Structure formats: structure tokens, C-alpha cells
Amino acid sequence: MAFMKRLFLLFLFLFSVVLPAEAVLAGGKIQENIASVGQVRLEGQLPVEVAAESVSVAAAGEPVLEAAPQPRRSDYPDVGVSSRAIVWILAQMHLFFAALVLAVPLFVLMIELVGVFTGDERYDDMAHEFMKISLTGFSITAIFGGSLALALFMLYPDFMGYMMRVFGAQVLVYALLFFFESFFLYTYYYGWNAFRYGNLKWVHLTLGLLLNASGLTIMVLSNAWATFMMAPSGVNEVGAVVGNIWEIMKGPLWNPINLHRFIANIGFGGAVVGAYAAFKFLSTSDPERRAHYDWMGYTSNFIAILAFLPLPFAGYWLMAEIYAYSQQMGITAMGGILAWLFIVQAVLIGTILLAGNFYLWAGMSRTEGSERYKPLIKVIALVLVVSFLIWVTPHTLILSASEVSKLGGSHHHILGPLGIMPAKNIAVNLMLVATFLSFQLYRRSDKVATVSWAPLGNALLIAVYVAAVANIIFLGVYFGYFTNTVYKVGSSVAQVSSTLVVIVFGLVIDSLMFRSAKTLPSHWGRIPDRAQYALFALPIAFTWLMALMGYVRSSVKTHWHVYTVMKDNSPDNFIPTIGYAGNMITLVTILFLLCVLFMFWVANLSSMRQGKPESAGGEAA
């Protein structure tokens, strides 16, 4: 058993340390990268005629560099409906399910590992049930992925031909990884009970680790395609390939997208399986089963919110890299036609945080020691609501001429200052701090600290909260409204650091203070039914948010297939209107939720068994 454990830990080290470190190191120093391939990109440079003339220019004995194609309007097939709409729906549905089947095995492996070290088989059973959902999702992912590939090759043949030429054999590696992932997925799930104890359990954990390694590798490969379209690297100014495959992949946006999608996928997966637990909780009246699914719902909400807390910081890094690569692209996203969508984003993120907090507050009714913390819930709710209202306040209002005249300008004299980023940075950081406080109070509600220094620890923790909140507000107000813009941007990093200090310090203090604490009784299943609807709200908001930000990420390229390299000359070479995009996002969200209901039905169907019919006389027919 010791040998199998060491083998698993070796795989874990390779998976969690060596591979990510290599990716991070390779993604750095992008300016050196660009210089090494002689790439100096000016926005909108080189007309199509110049690009065409450069295709055949090469010295004797040197390979001819082939520029990116520049298709005309007539080169795009006309199928009678919008090609972009077809690809949009298929791509978004594929990404939804890909995110789900990537995320679920990640936290399933962690839950299974907790069960191994604690000896509690309830963790093993819960992890197994979570995987049952992922199994159906994997098949649906493959269906939408195949449909997407077919649609792209049929509707955008020149673009796909160029992408195949740029990435070459990597596409075959991508396809091969699907076979590996399928093998590890089915052996991991169907071998669960066969490899349940002893050395075989470590074999099973290793299968889960290899499944996750395959899935994550597929994710980072496909992310390279998306980021190449936004910020191409490894090609010259006309799109001719001048670098190797690694130089093409490691563009300036690759690592930010990898981190952002990795965290977002975990939060999204936790929200979806939480809805499954809520569905099972409400569909049974058996106290034992309600207790089980209540525990599953709590675990899912914990995963979703814990992953969601650092997500805004990953998004901040991504937007900073977009601005660094192309200010035009950044302004299009945050200051142009797409700016209003970030108000919608604020509504959705606020919904996620409010729903997650409400579920934690309702869950306090499970424990007998929660009464001491209930007065703080009102304070947390007030902070969340006020911060949410500040976050959704727009800077510029859409007004008629008469309304502008009555208002005295396009900005409200009182609410206008709340519409700019310093106020919103304060709001989002306070919401994250308040959410972590809710989580911390819930974790404390069934424990009583027995260490002698508990009063000192609580006082120190309160001091950290007060100092962090004061620092977040001061930095936002002083540097946001009374100093130069340069300091305004820099202060946001210090605000993020204050929030992270609260989270890290709170976890450290609680882990030490409650290590040998007295545990109060918890009654799983004793939670109001209305709390389950918060678990239903999470995947709806997460899904809409993912589709919304996918629209933003794709639209910042404006009229380019590959930014500044290959123009989009199709009938759809414009940024869709916000109303049209909202309808499309709502459509794919509804389609995904219908597919999720189908997944829940299939997962539930596998545990049902029809009774044997009897004849009229009472004997078995």
C-alpha cells in the first residue's frame, strides 16, 4: 500500500507542480517573445494588397512564408440563416458542458481523497454520485463539440484552413487526448467499487488524477486557439507562421485565460451539482436521504463560493493583459459599446453572492450554536445590498435631450461618482469580505473554541477585518477621487491584497483556534426548503454570466477573425447589438438548463427499478 501511495503522490507532484510551473514560465516575457519573431504589430496595419504581395517573397533556398488568407464576402457559404448564430449556439453549449465535465472530476478527486484520509465513506459515496452527473455530461460535450467542428469547417472554411495550418499536428494531439480522457473517465467511474479499498484505492485515485490531467491539457490547448485569435503570437504582421508551436501557444493572454477558466469552471461545476443536490432534496421525504442531499448541497455551495471568491482577481489580471496588449481592444471592452454589459455582469455576480450568502445563513439552522452569530447576519446583508447597489450604478445614463437639460448633464451630480471604477472596486471587495465572513461564521456555528488564547484570537481577527475594510475604503476614496489616475489603478492592487489578507488570515486563525474545539450537534436535513432555491439560482446566474463574458471576449476582436491578421469579411463582421446578444445568451442559457434537467433525469433513472407486476390473482405474472 505504501508503494501505491508513493506512486499516486508522484503523479500528483508532476500534475500540480511541474506542468503548471512550465506553463507559467513559458507564458512570461511576452515582449521578448514578440521580438524573437520580429513581430511589431500596429493596429490595422498593412492593407490586404500588401499582405498578398508578401506571400511569395522569399530568398532562394528559404521556405516561402504563406500569409493569412483574406477571404471576400462571396467566399463565405450562404446557408440561409446567420452563420454566426449557428456557431455561437454550438460553441457556447460545448463550452458549458466542457466546463462541467472538466470541473466535476477535479473536486470529486479532492472529495475522494478527503474520504481516504478521514476514513469516512460518506465522502466516497458523495464523490461517486457527483461523477454520475459528469458521465452524461461528457457524452453531450462530445456531441456539441463534433457539431461545432462540422459547422466551423462548413461555414468558415478559409478561417479553419488557416487555423489548421498554424496549429498543425497539435489538433491531432487534441483529438488523441479525448481518447485518453474517455478511457480514464469510464475506468474511474465504473471501477469505483472494484477499486475501493487498500492498494486498489490508490490505483483508483491515480486514474482520477490522470483523468484530470487529460482534461486540463485539453483545456489549455483549446485556450491557446482562443487567445491566438485575440492576441496572435508566433506569426508576423501578415499572419505567416514564423515561430514554432510553443511560441504560437504562449501568447500574452494564454496564462490569464487558463487561470480564469480553471477557477470559473470549478465554481460553475459546483453550482450545477448543487442544483442536483437541491433537486434530490426536494424530491424526497425520507429524513436520511434529505440529510444526505442536504450535506451534498452544502458541499457544492462551499465549492462554488470558494472558487468564486478569487475569480474577480483572475478576471482583473486578464483585463490588465488585454489592455497591455491592445489599448483599443481594452477600451472596446470597458469603455465602448460593451461597457454597459459590465453593469449586467455586476447584477449577475451580485445574484451569485447574495444567493450563496442566503444559503449559508439558512444553513445555520442546522446547528445549535448558530444563535450567537445571527445578529451579524443583518450587518452582512446590509453591506452586501449597499455594495451591490453601488456596483450596478452606471456612470453615464442613456438620456434624451430634455432629460439631459433637466439633469444638468449626462452624469447625475450625486450618483455619478458611484459609477466610476474606484467606487466599484470598493463595492466588490467589501462584498467578497462580507461573503467570506458569512462562510467563517457558518463554519464556527457548530464549534466552541477551547484554547486559552481564543479571546485574543477573536480580537486579532476583528482587528484584521476592521483594518482591511478601512484600508479598502480609504484607498478607493483617496486615490480614486483626489489623486492622479496612475495612482487610482495602482491602489486597486492594494485593495485586492487587503481582501486576500482577510481570507488567508481568517483561515489560519480558525484552523489553529478550532483544532481541538468542542463540537455542537448538527442536524443535517434541518434546513428550510426555500434555501434549496438559492442552489437553483446559482447555476442560472453562473450560466448567464459565462455566456455574457464569452460574448464580450469574442466581440473585442471587432471585425477580425484573428486580430490584426485575418479580417472577417462575412455578412456578420460586426459586433452584435446588446439586445440581440441578450436574446442569444438567454437562448443558450435555457438550452443548457434543459440539458441539465435531462442529465438529472438520467442520473435519477439509473437508481430506479420497476416493481415486478402481479396478476389479478396476486401471483407474479
Side-chain angles (χ1 to χ4, degrees):
M1 180 161 182
F3 170 75
M4 297 304 300
K5 184 175 181 180
R6 285 195 294 269
L7 183 62
F8 171 78
L9 293 176
L10 175 62
F11 276 112
L12 182 62
F13 173 76
L14 293 173
F15 172 58
S16 62
V17 178
V18 177
L19 294 179
E22 175 64 22
V24 171
L25 290 174
K29 300 182 179 179
I30 188 60
Q31 294 302 324
E32 296 178 10
N33 236 354
I34 295 175
S36 68
V37 298
Q39 177 183 357
V40 180
R41 191 177 313 286
L42 300 175
E43 312 220 355
Q45 70 180 34
L46 289 181
V48 177
E49 293 80 5
V50 177
E53 292 175 4
S54 66
V55 174
S56 60
V57 177
E62 293 183 3
V64 176
L65 298 179
E66 186 176 357
Q70 303 297 335
R72 299 181 300 274
R73 178 68 61 90
S74 59
D75 294 328
Y76 294 86
D78 184 3
V79 293
V81 294
S82 171
S83 297
R84 176 169 61 188
I86 296 172
V87 171
W88 190 340
I89 293 172
L90 293 175
Q92 195 60 66
M93 292 296 290
H94 177 62
L95 286 172
F96 284 150
F97 281 101
L100 179 63
V101 300
L102 171 72
V104 173
L106 280 169
F107 56 74
V108 160
L109 181 65
M110 294 298 103
I111 294 171
E112 185 184 8
L113 201 57
V114 170
V116 170
F117 286 110
T118 61
D120 190 343
E121 292 200 12
R122 293 182 306 160
Y123 288 102
D124 209 69
D125 294 335
M126 179 170 61
H128 191 203
E129 192 161 2
F130 280 155
M131 276 303 298
K132 183 165 61 175
I133 305 170
S134 178
L135 205 66
T136 308
F138 185 81
S139 301
I140 300 176
T141 305
I143 291 171
F144 280 113
S147 302
L148 173 62
L150 181 63
L152 285 171
F153 278 103
M154 182 177 71
L155 301 174
Y156 298 93
D158 293 299
F159 164 69
M160 289 303 293
Y162 175 64
M163 292 292 285
M164 291 289 289
R165 173 153 50 88
V166 169
F167 286 92
Q170 191 208 76
V171 180
L172 299 178
V173 176
Y174 182 84
L176 184 63
L177 283 167
F178 269 111
F179 288 98
F180 283 115
E181 187 181 28
S182 301
F183 171 78
F184 292 129
L185 174 70
Y186 291 118
T187 53
Y188 183 63
Y189 177 75
Y190 289 109
W192 201 288
N193 291 321
F195 306 139
R196 196 174 180 96
Y197 303 106
N199 282 336
L200 291 178
K201 187 61 175 177
W202 292 100
V203 172
H204 188 257
L205 287 167
T206 303
L207 288 172
L209 190 65
L210 294 173
L211 165 63
N212 283 295
S214 302
L216 284 176
T217 306
I218 287 173
M219 183 194 76
V220 299
L221 289 181
S222 58
N223 286 347
W225 307 339
T227 56
F228 176 81
M229 293 166 60
M230 297 175 66
S233 59
V235 295
N236 64 14
E237 64 275 3
V238 296
V241 178
V242 293
N244 58 38
I245 186 63
W246 192 237
E247 291 169 331
I248 292 169
M249 288 177 60
K250 58 178 184 180
L253 305 183
W254 188 44
N255 277 328
I257 282 282
N258 285 338
L259 179 64
H260 191 265
R261 280 189 170 172
F262 175 76
I263 298 173
N265 289 350
I266 293 176
F268 177 67
V272 172
V273 297
Y276 171 78
F279 162 73
K280 297 290 285 185
F281 179 90
L282 293 174
S283 61
T284 183
S285 57
D286 178 51
E288 186 175 345
R289 290 178 61 82
R290 284 173 71 90
H292 171 69
Y293 289 114
D294 183 21
W295 185 49
M296 283 184 66
Y298 158 73
T299 304
S300 303
N301 183 67
F302 168 75
I303 293 168
I305 298 301
L306 190 65
F308 190 76
L309 287 176
L311 188 57
F313 310 138
Y316 184 91
W317 181 30
L318 174 59
M319 284 308 303
E321 291 295 332
I322 289 176
Y323 265 103
Y325 177 78
S326 168
Q327 290 189 17
Q328 178 180 322
M329 191 185 290
I331 291 171
T332 301
M334 300 291 289
I337 186 176
L338 304 175
W340 265 87
L341 296 178
F342 287 89
I343 299 296
V344 182
Q345 179 204 45
V347 173
L348 294 168
I349 294 177
T351 301
I352 292 170
L353 291 176
L354 288 170
N357 277 274
F358 174 75
Y359 182 80
L360 289 173
W361 300 336
M364 286 187 175
S365 60
R366 303 185 188 103
T367 61
E368 297 179 1
S370 59
E371 293 295 329
R372 53 193 164 148
Y373 295 124
K374 285 190 175 179
L376 289 174
I377 292 177
K378 296 180 181 178
V379 178
I380 297 172
L382 178 63
V383 171
L384 288 172
V385 171
V386 172
S387 299
F388 175 67
L389 293 175
I390 293 173
W391 199 2
V392 300
T393 301
H395 180 50
T396 304
L397 303 175
I398 302 175
L399 303 171
S400 64
S402 61
E403 289 171 332
V404 171
S405 177
K406 291 179 181 178
L407 190 61
S410 60
H411 303 86
H412 194 278
H413 63 286
I414 296 176
L415 299 180
L418 299 180
I420 60 177
M421 286 307 297
K424 299 185 185 305
N425 284 338
I426 294 173
V428 68
N429 279 281
L430 290 182
M431 290 184 78
L432 294 175
V433 169
T435 300
F436 179 73
L437 179 58
S438 289
F439 168 74
Q440 196 170 23
L441 295 181
Y442 177 84
R443 296 285 293 172
R444 284 172 164 231
S445 62
D446 66 339
K447 298 179 182 67
V448 177
T450 57
V451 294
S452 59
W453 54 273
L456 177 62
N458 286 327
L460 191 59
L461 194 57
I462 291 172
V464 170
Y465 269 100
V466 171
V469 170
N471 193 44
I472 289 169
I473 296 173
F474 169 76
L475 291 172
V477 173
Y478 179 72
F479 290 101
Y481 295 96
F482 299 104
T483 60
N484 190 283
T485 304
V486 176
Y487 302 108
K488 181 191 303 184
V489 175
S491 66
S492 61
V493 178
Q495 288 176 307
V496 168
S497 301
S498 299
T499 303
L500 292 176
V501 165
V502 169
I503 294 174
V504 173
F505 198 86
L507 292 173
V508 171
I509 287 290
D510 277 11
S511 64
L512 296 175
M513 188 184 300
F514 294 98
R515 179 173 294 176
S516 56
K518 175 185 175 183
T519 303
L520 301 175
S522 294
H523 305 280
W524 291 103
R526 196 175 75 178
I527 185 174
D529 285 355
R530 62 179 178 272
Q532 307 306 313
Y533 296 100
L535 295 182
F536 289 134
L538 285 176
I540 295 173
F542 258 110
T543 305
W544 222 96
L545 180 61
M546 286 180 64
L548 176 72
M549 300 318 294
Y551 160 62
V552 172
R553 183 198 58 76
S554 182
S555 295
V556 295
K557 298 188 285 87
T558 59
H559 58 284
W560 298 92
H561 285 311
V562 180
Y563 194 61
T564 73
V565 165
M566 182 180 179
K567 281 189 175 181
D568 179 1
N569 291 312
S570 70
D572 297 315
N573 65 340
F574 57 90
I575 298 178
T577 62
I578 293 177
Y580 177 81
N583 291 334
M584 291 293 292
I585 292 168
T586 302
L587 174 63
V588 293
T589 300
I590 292 173
L591 288 176
F592 174 73
L593 294 176
L594 290 174
C595 291
V596 166
L597 291 176
F598 171 74
M599 287 170 51
F600 291 174
W601 176 73
V602 170
N604 193 53
L605 196 64
S606 65
S607 60
M608 298 175 64
R609 182 173 180 175
Q610 182 184 9
K612 192 173 183 179
E614 296 183 356
S615 63
E619 296 179 359

